[in-house]
Amino acid sequence: MKEFEMREAGQDKNLRAKVGVYICECGPNIAGKVDLDKIIADLSQLDDYQDVELVVKKYGFLCSGPGKEFLEEEIRSNGYTHLVVGACSPRDHDSTFMGVCKKTDLNPYLYRIINIREHCTWVIDDKEKATEKAFSYIRGGISRVLRQSELFEKPLDINPDVLVIGGGIAGMEAALSLSGEDRRVFLVEKTDHLGGISLDLSGLLPGQGEIIKNKIDSVTEDKNIRLFLNTSVETVIGFLGNFEIELVSIENAETTDIMAGAIVVATGSSLFDPGESAHLSYSESDEVYTSLSVEKMFSGEGEARLRSGKKPSSVALIHCVGREEKNYCSGICCSYMMKLAGFFRNQSPDIQVTEFYRDLCLPQKDDQERYTEAEAAGVEFVRIKDISIKGTEVSFEKMNSKKSEQSFDMVVLAPAIVPSADTEELADLLTVPLDESGFFQEVHKMTNPVGTSTDGVFIVGTAHGPKGVSDSMQFARASAGQILTRLIPGEKLIPEVKVTEILEAYCTGCGNCLDVCVYGAIYSDDSRGISVVNEAVCRGCGNCYGSCPSGALRTKHFTNTQLYREVDEALR
Amino acid sequence: MSQTGNVLVIGAGIAGMKASLMLAGASNKVYLVEKLPIIGGKVIKNEESFPNLECSTCMVAPIQQDVLQNPNIETLTYSIVEKIEGKLGDFSVVIRKKARYVSLTDCIGCGMCYEPCPVSLKNEWEENLIDRKAIYVPCSGSLPNVPVIDSEHCLKLNGKEECNLCVESCAFEAINLDDSDEVMEIKVGAVILAAGSSTFDLSSLPNLGYSTLPGVYAPMEFERLFASNGPTLGEITLRESEKIPESVAVIHCAGRKEQKYCSAVCCMYSFKFARFLKHKIPSASVFNIYSDVCVPGKNYQSFYKSVEGTDTEMLYTSSIDEVQVSENGPGLKVTYSDASGSMTELNVDMVILAAALVPDDDAAELAEIAGVDLDSRGFIATVQDGSGSMETSREGVFVAGTAEGPKDIQNSVIQAESAAGQVMDIVTAEVSGS
Ligand SMILES: Cc1cc2nc3c(=O)[nH]c(=O)nc-3n(C[C@H](O)[C@H](O)[C@H](O)COP(=O)(O)OP(=O)(O)OC[C@H]3O[C@@H](n4cnc5c(N)ncnc54)[C@H](O)[C@@H]3O)c2cc1C
Ligand SMILES: Cc1cc2nc3c(=O)[nH]c(=O)nc-3n(C[C@H](O)[C@H](O)[C@H](O)COP(=O)(O)OP(=O)(O)OC[C@H]3O[C@@H](n4cnc5c(N)ncnc54)[C@H](O)[C@@H]3O)c2cc1C
Ligand code: SF4
Ligand code: SF4
Ligand code: SF4
Ligand code: SF4
């Protein structure tokens, strides 16, 4: 590390600059708590640098309209090469003063704000100590600004088109929300039809059945949506605004290359395999079914019959199959099981329906009323501590520890919603991490649930986690909103400027940094035997900085020299 | 661009802020109207948010800053919408900006004016757990960090006495006691209602002792008690006795039966409270009294499992509606029927009630002004076409967040972005098509 520092510090000798240092009085907030005249006098006399001219001044309120005009005029008339502002928190006014620089010829990255209010005058009562600290801070700031370099924004052209992977209800809704005269959507579905799981469901929430059929028609008719059935995504490279994608036909292995600015992942989910549950044992011939196969019976034949062809006269509905194993609650099964109970009762009004549940999870605002109705209609709800199922024999322990057994004509299981089969493979392809439950991980659980760490890749529907049709569609529209905001046809994108670079001469190509970067911004250039940062993807987080054994990484605007020299001078 | 690209967003909680930022990002002009003097909504009352127990301020402050600094968002704090007329693509809106008496541009938030103010009264934002002055910010860390004068209680403004103390103490000449309400009229193409929700009125449940027994707390009171910028600076001490509680019962589902729905967040915040309590008072015994655990979605059960048995003992009751809280010397006694149906007693120092999320007090008024329907529970109703559309009964008016029904932050954000996406999709399509 020392060696690297010296390399960077080499330029120190011939520092030649004219630095403007402006201290804001902030009324009594700064002026009243430190001896500003002393600070100005001491700074003016600094002999830290041979060829650096310092001009130190104070002003009442630099952030005010007249203050900004004053500063702008000062930069112009004095021809500063660098600017330091001693004022408040950068959270308040960093962007204000960068804005002032932008109006002049001074590159905004050759300016620095030093917080002498929140860090000094607001926290130190002793005027002498506050004065001393404010002086040191500004001295450090001057030292840092002298090592800063000009940085320039590099606007990128973007492609507004979007790739949607998965043609279930979420993928279709995303595609329809996004398609337009100036934005094409490529919708890729691996099966030979649109609709996903919802197609097999019967009696969804009022209106939902129609919605799915309508959406399929709309997608098929939309001339701005290009539909690829029986197709999967083979390769993806690129970043927000510019992805290159190769699609491959599952039928004939033919490939198609497309370009898109964003990718929406809507690959849905599958069901927990009840065979993995220790509580269950049954064979093919037993009258034990998953909820989805019963949904299919109702949506196909309109009724649910036993293998013998008879209608069941008693049904056990088993909630939470796989909840313990997966360690999450799918949040929709309680509700759709009550829906199924209703179907069974419609089919045979005298049927005995018993729901075995562990907790009733009724998160949607209509759920509880449906429960009350089901209970009033005679569906029996049994809260259990434990259960084991052999064929259609159900042994259970109630909350009061009483154990019982009961036999049913039919047993219906509500298996947990689990990630779909291709999730891992796709996650790899898109460099999106999976979360603890194996679903795609959002970039932030609360404030950005549809975004991922790969900017430009969004997750919607049950690919994000278990949820119902309405919520899946809301996620889809939220992703569309983000894309409509970020990729505006004809407009350019301005990527982060304070990015990391790899100094080619020092990089040994060990690849340590590749693993550290959660944004997948670093790739290895095998022909040159080094690692390279893709500046359009890098967010300048600095995670990789410490991982390089040869000190080849440099995060612009946060170089070692800049940081060390600031600290050195501040502590002198 | 004409009014087409203008959008009115009512309520600057997490939902309103996220919707505004998205719309502003696509170059729409947003008017964000908030009735309180500060933005941020309920989330900033919580020090940490489930499921990750992430610092709420760290999560929300950058969003608040983005909103305040975004050139396409005009944030109107301490303001109310009085009229919304017209139709999709062409609404006329009347907004009253209430007199704040402190200039948003001149005040720097130094706080020098509070001390001299001779008036002292309960701070409602802090759930009345501490006092404030007539000139005040609701809490430290308020954004915008500019006080407001409560004209009802200010001696000068309510005409009781001559007083000019705050004016004299302000070096920035930011205070103007002659300020008056301002009424403005704007044109917008669409409206998003994101006015949030409230919590169940616990004093209507006499069996739970809230408002009669000082040791019984509402959930927001507990959030503020835990918060390091709150009334006790984060020290959990009991009302009146100022004792540190050694045993605490969190009782679930308060108001669920009355409201006829499960709020889907109270189990989670109850578990969060257990973690908070054990974190600050490691010796405390914490009990969660419950009938059902509702932890929907991929992230929640693992948090529940991490507190179950370690931070809290889970006590199942066969009838959550019949739990009783009564006085027991200096402490409290909780009576409930256990799994076998027999009555059990539990002695504790403190009780926290997991109150249901309910429509905000002025939801009906807002619905009236916005010309939209409420659902059977008093939340703002959506079209209910099964697609999860955020459109209300009035074309061009959308709803998002807990104004539509109880939900967590994640779902509030999704609805906000979904509504903003719909506004961009429908409104622009509508107008370019006509
Ligand atoms: C038994 C059961 C009952 C339910 N009942 C209800 C109910 O009553 N009401 C309700 O609202 N919700 C209900 N749900 C939930 C509902 O099914 C889901 O919310 C909905 O299907 C999610 O839609 P989606 O588009 O995210 O996923 P899916 O419907 O799973 O669609 C995903 C699509 O992506 C495709 N795909 C997968 N991988 C790839 C790949 N690698 N490349 C290309 N394409 C791919 C799949 O073929 C599929 O077409 C129920 C779920 C189950 C299991
Ligand atoms: C005790 C408690 C703890 C919680 N903890 C968590 C947690 O840890 N994690 C989590 O995910 N969720 C939690 N929640 C839920 C979370 O608070 C909500 O999901 C979230 O606050 C909803 O945001 P919102 O924007 O819809 O509403 P709000 O946060 O309520 O914001 C609404 C805003 O609108 C304003 N407003 C209201 N009426 C008007 C009007 N007429 N005109 C103008 N403005 C108006 C309000 O002043 C407010 O600023 C908790 C809830 C409670 C009650
Ligand atoms: S700075 Fe962060 S985003 Fe950039 S390459 Fe390094 S780890 Fe990746
Ligand atoms: S009104 Fe004046 S004294 Fe009060 S916080 Fe603002 S600037 Fe400070
Ligand atoms: S004028 Fe009003 S707000 Fe100001 S100090 Fe006096 S009472 Fe307080
Ligand atoms: S979330 Fe939990 S505490 Fe709240 S109403 Fe539902 S079951 Fe009761």
Side-chain angles (χ1 to χ4, degrees):
Chain A
M1 202 50 100
K2 260 276 160 309
E3 199 187 316
F4 176 57
E5 247 176 72
M6 280 163 57
R7 281 198 319 270
E8 272 194 81
Q11 6 165 328
D12 273 22
K13 278 187 245 100
N14 33 22
L15 281 173
R16 190 165 276 138
K18 183 171 181 187
V19 186
V21 181
Y22 288 80
I23 305 178
C24 179
E25 295 177 3
C26 198
N29 277 277
I30 294 177
K33 301 281 186 63
V34 288
D35 186 343
L36 270 189
D37 294 330
K38 180 171 176 354
I39 295 179
I40 294 172
D42 289 353
L43 286 172
S44 308
Q45 283 159 24
L46 277 185
D47 56 359
D48 296 353
Y49 318 94
Q50 265 175 11
D51 295 319
V52 175
E53 189 188 337
L54 289 179
V55 179
V56 191
K57 294 188 184 176
K58 63 179 180 182
Y59 189 88
F61 296 105
L62 275 176
C63 63
S64 65
K68 287 188 279 191
E69 278 164 29
F70 163 76
L71 198 58
E72 189 182 328
E73 183 47 36
E74 287 283 301
I75 300 172
R76 280 225 179 83
S77 59
N78 288 307
Y80 294 132
T81 57
H82 301 78
L83 177 71
V84 172
V85 175
C88 51
S89 162
R91 281 188 156 206
D92 280 355
H93 285 302
D94 197 25
S95 56
T96 309
F97 300 124
M98 276 188 116
V100 172
C101 295
K102 281 181 190 162
K103 288 188 169 174
T104 71
D105 289 338
L106 184 64
N107 185 288
Y109 295 91
L110 296 179
Y111 129 88
R112 180 117 193 115
I113 190 170
I114 302 298
N115 184 357
I116 57 169
R117 192 178 74 186
E118 280 85 341
H119 285 187
C120 304
T121 61
W122 275 3
V123 288
I124 303 174
D125 287 333
D126 183 329
K127 191 166 182 173
E128 209 172 303
K129 285 197 173 133
T131 304
E132 203 182 311
K133 188 174 178 190
F135 167 77
S136 307
Y137 263 43
I138 298 173
R139 183 186 208 172
I142 296 170
S143 175
R144 188 193 203 282
V145 86
L146 285 168
R147 273 82 183 185
Q148 289 176 194
S149 311
E150 290 184 309
L151 297 177
F152 298 95
E153 291 174 347
K154 291 181 209 148
L156 281 177
D157 285 327
I158 53 124
N159 180 335
D161 297 345
V162 180
L163 164 69
V164 177
I165 312 176
I169 189 64
M172 292 193 294
E173 181 65 4
L176 289 167
S177 307
L178 284 161
S179 76
E181 290 305 324
D182 47 9
R183 191 187 313 272
R184 273 182 310 166
V185 175
F186 307 100
L187 179 56
V188 173
E189 163 60 49
K190 71 171 179 184
T191 68
D192 63 359
H193 61 274
L194 291 168
I197 290 192
S198 316
L199 266 191
D200 291 330
L201 304 179
S202 59
L204 287 154
L205 291 177
Q208 280 180 342
E210 276 308 297
I211 281 202
I212 286 148
K213 286 189 194 78
N214 292 343
K215 294 283 169 188
I216 294 177
D217 291 344
S218 308
V219 167
T220 324
E221 285 160 17
D222 191 327
K223 59 183 189 324
N224 296 310
I225 298 178
R226 208 170 138 198
L227 187 57
F228 293 86
L229 293 176
N230 297 308
T231 304
S232 69
V233 178
E234 187 71 10
T235 58
V236 176
I237 50 170
F239 42 86
L240 175 69
N242 294 282
F243 286 103
E244 289 171 31
I245 301 130
E246 189 185 10
L247 305 178
V248 58
S249 157
I250 296 171
E251 291 165 314
N252 55 21
E254 233 171 71
T255 62
T256 314
D257 292 326
I258 58 167
M259 306 271 283
I263 300 174
V264 177
V265 182
T267 48
S269 52
S270 44
L271 293 185
F272 176 78
D273 173 6
E276 283 176 37
S277 169
H279 301 278
L280 306 172
S281 68
Y282 62 94
S283 68
E284 291 275 306
S285 57
D286 287 326
E287 297 289 354
V288 179
Y289 302 86
T290 66
S291 49
L292 191 57
S293 49
V294 173
E295 290 269 4
K296 278 183 201 167
M297 292 183 206
F298 280 115
S299 64
E301 314 295 315
E303 48 186 26
R305 288 177 186 269
L306 299 168
R307 289 181 225 281
S308 63
K310 278 202 295 202
K311 290 183 182 170
S313 59
S314 64
V315 183
L317 301 178
I318 317 290
H319 293 221
C320 292
V321 175
R323 173 174 168 192
E324 211 176 295
E325 290 81 352
K326 305 309 289 183
N327 200 22
Y328 57 81
C329 153
S330 298
I332 59 170
C333 334
C334 284
S335 158
Y336 77 63
M337 286 298 248
M338 289 186 280
K339 173 186 80 176
L340 290 180
F343 294 161
F344 278 111
R345 290 188 53 85
N346 283 348
Q347 152 172 320
S348 334
D350 293 332
I351 195 172
Q352 176 207 341
V353 182
T354 311
E355 302 211 24
F356 293 95
Y357 71 99
R358 286 171 193 270
D359 291 293
L360 278 182
C361 180
L362 308 170
Q364 304 291 330
K365 57 183 180 177
D366 299 312
D367 287 348
Q368 179 154 327
E369 273 178 47
R370 256 193 254 157
Y371 162 66
T372 322
E373 281 162 23
E375 207 179 24
V379 176
E380 192 189 358
F381 285 86
V382 181
R383 194 181 202 280
I384 47 152
K385 250 206 286 209
D386 204 6
I387 195 161
S388 81
I389 293 161
K390 279 204 185 68
T392 46
E393 295 285 326
V394 179
S395 319
F396 56 96
E397 184 182 351
K398 287 201 193 180
M399 292 307 283
N400 60 12
S401 303
K402 281 203 192 99
K403 293 187 182 161
S404 326
E405 269 177 33
Q406 221 172 319
S407 179
F408 294 88
D409 287 353
M410 185 186 230
V411 169
V412 181
L413 310 172
I417 309 275
V418 300
S420 65
D422 305 338
T423 304
E424 269 182 58
E425 197 183 317
L426 211 51
D428 238 22
L429 206 61
L430 299 164
T431 45
V432 172
L434 299 179
D435 67 10
E436 57 189 22
S437 322
F439 291 96
F440 292 102
Q441 182 163 13
E442 58 279 77
V443 69
H444 192 282
K445 285 197 172 82
M446 286 169 274
T447 60
N448 191 357
V450 295
T452 69
S453 61
T454 300
D455 204 9
V457 176
F458 301 87
I459 37 169
V460 303
T462 50
H464 164 273
K467 57 182 65 63
V469 168
S470 305
D471 284 353
S472 295
M473 293 175 79
Q474 278 175 13
F475 267 68
R477 284 191 294 267
S479 77
Q482 292 215 12
I483 293 168
L484 293 173
T485 311
R486 304 282 301 281
L487 297 180
I488 300 169
E491 283 187 20
K492 290 179 192 259
L493 209 65
I494 301 175
E496 175 62 62
V497 225
K498 291 169 282 183
V499 293
T500 292
E501 55 188 344
I502 294 180
L503 303 178
E504 186 171 346
Y506 297 91
C507 175
T508 60
C510 70
N512 276 358
C513 53
L514 265 76
D515 300 334
V516 175
C517 180
V518 291
Y519 301 109
I522 312 183
Y523 61 93
S524 80
D525 180 340
D526 294 334
S527 63
R528 287 190 290 167
I530 57 166
S531 301
V532 181
V533 176
N534 181 344
E535 293 201 354
V537 182
C538 172
R539 313 253 183 116
C541 72
N543 262 350
C544 52
Y545 207 115
S547 71
C548 180
S550 39
L553 289 164
R554 241 172 72 136
T555 302
K556 292 177 187 172
H557 214 55
F558 293 94
T559 66
N560 278 353
T561 314
Q562 288 164 4
L563 302 177
Y564 289 160
R565 290 294 168 272
E566 177 169 21
V567 175
D568 282 351
E569 288 304 312
L571 297 181
R572 187 131 74 134
Chain B
M1 208 179 253
S2 66
Q3 60 264 37
T4 316
N6 294 357
V7 183
L8 167 69
V9 178
I10 302 180
I14 190 74
M17 293 193 296
K18 287 297 268 187
S20 300
L21 283 171
M22 182 176 269
L23 291 161
S27 304
N28 297 289
K29 161 95 189 177
V30 179
Y31 297 91
L32 175 57
V33 177
E34 166 59 53
K35 70 173 172 184
L36 296 181
I38 57 171
I39 63 170
K42 258 201 215 58
V43 182
I44 57 170
K45 290 194 172 194
N46 310 349
E47 176 134 312
E48 291 172 6
S49 296
F50 66 72
N52 285 8
L53 297 196
E54 195 164 326
C55 159
S56 306
T57 304
C58 313
M59 181 170 87
V60 182
I63 298 174
Q64 291 168 292
Q65 293 282 11
D66 282 355
V67 165
L68 294 173
Q69 285 168 6
N70 192 306
N72 291 337
I73 303 178
E74 186 167 337
T75 307
L76 303 164
T77 46
Y78 211 43
S79 301
I80 38 172
V81 171
E82 293 189 325
K83 209 183 276 175
I84 303 177
E85 280 170 347
K87 59 175 176 40
L88 168 66
D90 186 20
F91 288 109
S92 304
V93 179
V94 177
I95 300 169
R96 176 176 297 269
K97 289 167 74 177
K98 291 196 280 178
R100 188 179 191 120
Y101 305 98
V102 183
S103 159
L104 281 162
T105 42
D106 297 338
C107 167
I108 65 143
C110 66
M112 300 293 277
C113 51
Y114 318 149
E115 190 62 27
C117 176
V119 181
S120 197
L121 67 151
K122 291 279 177 236
N123 184 344
E124 311 83 345
W125 197 91
E126 291 287 11
E127 309 295 325
N128 300 324
L129 295 169
I130 195 171
D131 290 344
R132 64 164 170 86
K133 295 301 180 78
I135 183 164
Y136 71 107
V137 287
C139 64
S140 68
S142 288
L143 284 172
N145 185 20
V146 171
V148 57
I149 298 181
D150 166 353
S151 59
E152 197 186 323
H153 294 97
C154 161
L155 300 174
K156 170 80 190 269
L157 293 172
N158 66 17
K160 284 204 178 123
E161 264 175 54
E162 265 315 305
C163 176
N164 202 33
L165 289 170
C166 56
V167 177
E168 286 158 22
S169 66
C170 177
F172 298 86
E173 296 177 10
I175 305 176
N176 168 19
L177 294 174
D178 296 325
D179 197 6
S180 57
D181 287 7
E182 199 183 307
V183 175
M184 60 189 274
E185 201 176 324
I186 56 165
K187 294 272 194 186
V188 297
V191 180
I192 297 178
L193 308 173
S197 57
S198 183
T199 43
F200 187 77
D201 174 18
L202 293 165
S203 50
S204 68
L205 299 171
N207 58 319
L208 294 175
Y210 180 75
S211 75
T212 51
L213 302 170
V216 181
Y217 283 78
M220 261 319 166
E221 290 176 336
F222 183 74
E223 290 279 9
R224 293 317 294 155
L225 214 49
F226 179 78
S228 49
N229 70 345
T232 57
L233 299 177
E235 208 176 317
I236 303 174
T237 50
L238 291 169
R239 238 189 303 252
E240 292 181 12
S241 73
E242 289 182 16
K243 250 185 56 179
I244 295 175
E246 274 304 317
S247 51
V248 184
V250 186
I251 303 173
H252 288 215
C253 297
R256 173 174 168 182
K257 183 170 147 237
E258 290 70 18
Q259 296 297 120
K260 301 197 180 69
Y261 55 80
C262 154
S263 298
V265 294
C266 8
C267 278
M268 280 299 282
Y269 74 61
S270 299
F271 302 141
K272 177 175 82 170
F273 291 173
R275 174 65 55 80
F276 284 177
L277 281 159
K278 284 302 256 194
H279 176 69
K280 291 227 164 129
I281 319 169
S283 59
S285 318
V286 182
F287 309 93
N288 268 260
I289 301 180
Y290 76 106
S291 281
D292 289 297
V293 169
C294 179
V295 283
K298 65 175 179 174
N299 302 124
Y300 288 0
Q301 177 160 311
S302 55
F303 178 64
Y304 159 51
K305 289 289 170 195
S306 78
V307 299
E308 182 195 23
T310 52
D311 296 310
T312 179
E313 196 175 321
M314 297 295 298
L315 300 176
Y316 172 75
T317 170
S318 54
S319 177
I320 192 79
D321 310 324
E322 286 161 54
V323 180
Q324 290 273 350
V325 181
S326 52
E327 207 170 347
N328 177 29
L332 299 165
K333 183 172 74 188
V334 182
T335 317
Y336 65 98
S337 62
D338 66 11
S340 55
S342 53
M343 294 315 267
T344 310
E345 286 180 0
L346 180 73
N347 293 327
V348 289
D349 297 333
M350 183 185 203
V351 163
I352 307 170
L353 304 175
L357 263 61
V358 301
D360 200 26
D361 297 337
D362 51 15
E365 197 184 324
L366 180 64
E368 171 99 35
I369 291 168
V372 301
D373 293 345
L374 295 174
D375 68 15
S376 60
R377 301 145 188 108
F379 290 105
I380 302 213
T382 57
V383 284
Q384 286 297 338
D385 62 356
S387 74
S389 164
M390 300 317 301
E391 197 163 20
T392 65
S393 57
R394 183 173 181 186
E395 211 188 355
V397 181
F398 298 79
V399 59
T402 51
E404 186 269 338
K407 58 185 63 70
D408 58 7
I409 299 172
Q410 178 183 87
N411 285 305
S412 298
V413 168
I414 284 296
Q415 288 199 339
E417 296 191 337
S418 183
Q422 276 186 285
V423 167
M424 289 190 271
D425 198 22
I426 301 178
V427 176
T428 37
E430 183 77 18
V431 171
S432 59
S434 65

